[in-house]
Amino acid sequence: MARAHMLLVEDDAALAELLTWHFKREDFDVTHTPDGEEALLLAQEKTPDIVLLDWMVEGLSGIEVCRRLRRKSETQNVPIIMLTARGEEEDRVRGLETGADDYVTKPFSPRELVARVGAVLRRVRPALAGEQLSYADIEMDTVGHKVRRSGETVALGPTEFRLLKHFLEHPGWVFSRERLLDSVWGHDSDIEPRTVDVHIRRLRKAINRGNKPDIIRTVRSAGYALDSEAQS
């Protein structure tokens, strides 16, 4: 499985440590918080690929965190798995109706949870389940570091490759320059946001070679998105 960013919201310190260990062993990047309010801030700073969310946490309840994540455009499609000791049918239905993709009742096996997370990611975010990424007529081999469009090889520099990979993992999502800097260059980067524009132009030039349709959409005052309906 390709490296995925998980937001773990759990106020049981021992359980959080156990889950963090298991998921890091599976090559997940895990960010943990016991607090619902902080979870929303963390999700805003860096959009997670999946959220493990305990029902009863400090601050906001897990249900309210789930509801608010679903209201925000950046996280409305992020898969959420609820963790809770509340096993009644009414509670499960409430959790799913609030927006959770799955519901795991405590106590549970960490190995089973890892498997269920993998199943959800394969269903909701197939790009994170393998080494091949694709969208429209673009194909990427993340291991072989190769890109093709309409069957033709596309030559990309390292930064443009990472940028396209990020877009392919989130097709249709609109990312601001700042979010792209965090995700592609890293939090510690001191690169100016406008530098993103330069690399977007380079990426467009490479993948649109031969007068192919522009597949990267510019969203005024918002950022960029990989969109098969983008206009040149």
Side-chain angles (χ1 to χ4, degrees), residues 10 19 52-55 81-84 104 106 108 113:
E10 171 61 64
L19 292 179
L52 287 189
L53 179 59
D54 190 4
W55 186 304
I81 297 181
M82 297 287 297
L83 308 176
T84 179
V104 179
K106 299 177 181 180
F108 53 80
L113 182 59

Side-chain angles (χ1 to χ4, degrees), residues 1-5 21-30:
M1 177 179 292
R3 191 168 180 82
H5 175 56
W21 183 84
H22 274 278
F23 281 101
K24 284 189 173 181
R25 189 175 66 169
E26 296 298 320
D27 203 29
F28 279 78
D29 172 27
V30 182

